[in-house]
Amino acid sequence: MNNSKIAFIGAGNMATSLIMGLVNKGATPSNIAATDIDSDKLSQLRTECGIRIGTLEEVVKSADVIVLAVKPQVMEQVCTALKPLLGATGSVIISIAAGIPLHKFEAWLGSQQAIVRCMPNTPALVSEGATGLFANAKTNATQAALAETILSAVGICSWLDSEDAINAVTALSGSGPAYFFLMMEAMESAAVKMGLNAEMARSFTIQTALGAAKLAAASDVAPDELRRKVTSPGGTTEAAIKSFENEGFRELVEHALSAAQKRSIELAD
């Protein structure tokens, strides 16, 4: 990994988190380069991480990996500018843009180009991300390993069996943080109505969510067993869980994820 040259096109929050994650895990800063229309972002990255910055042509030259970290609406324009610079470099393209399928990248960059499509989520900004990856047939094992190394710098990642599975990952983890934020928002509001002050309601809600997640991550049993362990018969937790179940909580969650998956498919089409 230390000898691999990585170019980032786009220097927004996700690109910045990946760059910082790579540097923190021992990547050589001089082997990482970035370009962006925002020169202030680039200067800040160079100052904080010691990476190289430059024009599109300068950063992709001799790059082993090119990470496309621009907004989906400008992706075709970026790829059009990138294609003549690729030549026979043998680089692999990694897209972290939502909603753009591989066949579009192949049309923009050429059918022989190695491309990895991935779906990271916003907790990658604090190195707690979850990313699903899928590569086209032109991506070899070495290139796939490089892509995995880059995305694992900011959390966990896993290869998917099909590109369609990215829509499920989008519904689960891509959009998932917002579901938990909504739950936290509702818990905080309810706690204030029950008499807690707003500051305490927020800090206790956040700490409870954090603690539950850490407990689940550290445990060797599934969440349903963890739930049973803290649900004493006739107790307060049982009363709350019964209320959730009676209101169709599981069905509501399933319908929400299905709606997100459907929308992901529509955006890709």
Side-chain angles (χ1 to χ4, degrees), residues 148-160:
E148 184 174 341
T149 298
I150 291 169
L151 273 302
S152 64
V154 291
I156 65 169
C157 62
S158 183
W159 290 97
L160 305 174

Side-chain angles (χ1 to χ4, degrees), residues 7-92:
F8 284 83
I9 302 177
N13 289 337
M14 193 63 71
T16 297
S17 68
L18 286 168
I19 291 168
M20 289 184 170
L22 287 166
V23 171
N24 289 338
K25 292 201 171 183
T28 303
S30 60
N31 283 339
I32 302 174
T35 188
D36 194 279
I37 58 173
D38 189 331
S39 58
D40 291 336
K41 284 182 180 179
L42 290 179
S43 296
Q44 184 175 353
L45 266 176
R46 179 171 59 184
T47 300
E48 293 181 355
C49 300
I51 68 167
R52 295 180 294 108
I53 62 175
T55 65
L56 178 64
E57 184 174 4
E58 289 169 342
V59 301
V60 302
K61 185 179 180 180
S62 303
D64 300 298
V65 184
I66 299 171
V67 182
L68 298 178
V70 298
K71 295 183 182 301
Q73 55 265 37
V74 300
M75 187 63 78
E76 182 176 4
Q77 177 184 344
V78 169
C79 288
T80 299
L82 176 62
K83 184 178 180 180
L85 303 177
L86 293 174
T89 60
S91 58
V92 58

Side-chain angles (χ1 to χ4, degrees), residues 7 16 23 53-54 57 63 66 73 89 92 97 113 120 128 131 135 145 159 171 193 196 229 234 247 254 257-258:
T16 297
V23 171
I53 62 175
E57 184 174 4
I66 299 171
Q73 55 265 37
T89 60
V92 58
Q113 178 63 50
E128 295 291 351
T131 304
W159 290 97
K193 289 179 180 178
L196 293 183
K229 286 183 176 181
E247 294 293 332
E254 183 178 347
L257 265 70
S258 294

Side-chain angles (χ1 to χ4, degrees), residues 108-121:
W108 297 334
L109 297 170
S111 59
Q112 300 303 308
Q113 178 63 50
I115 305 168
V116 176
R117 182 184 171 195
C118 62
M119 182 66 232
N121 62 0

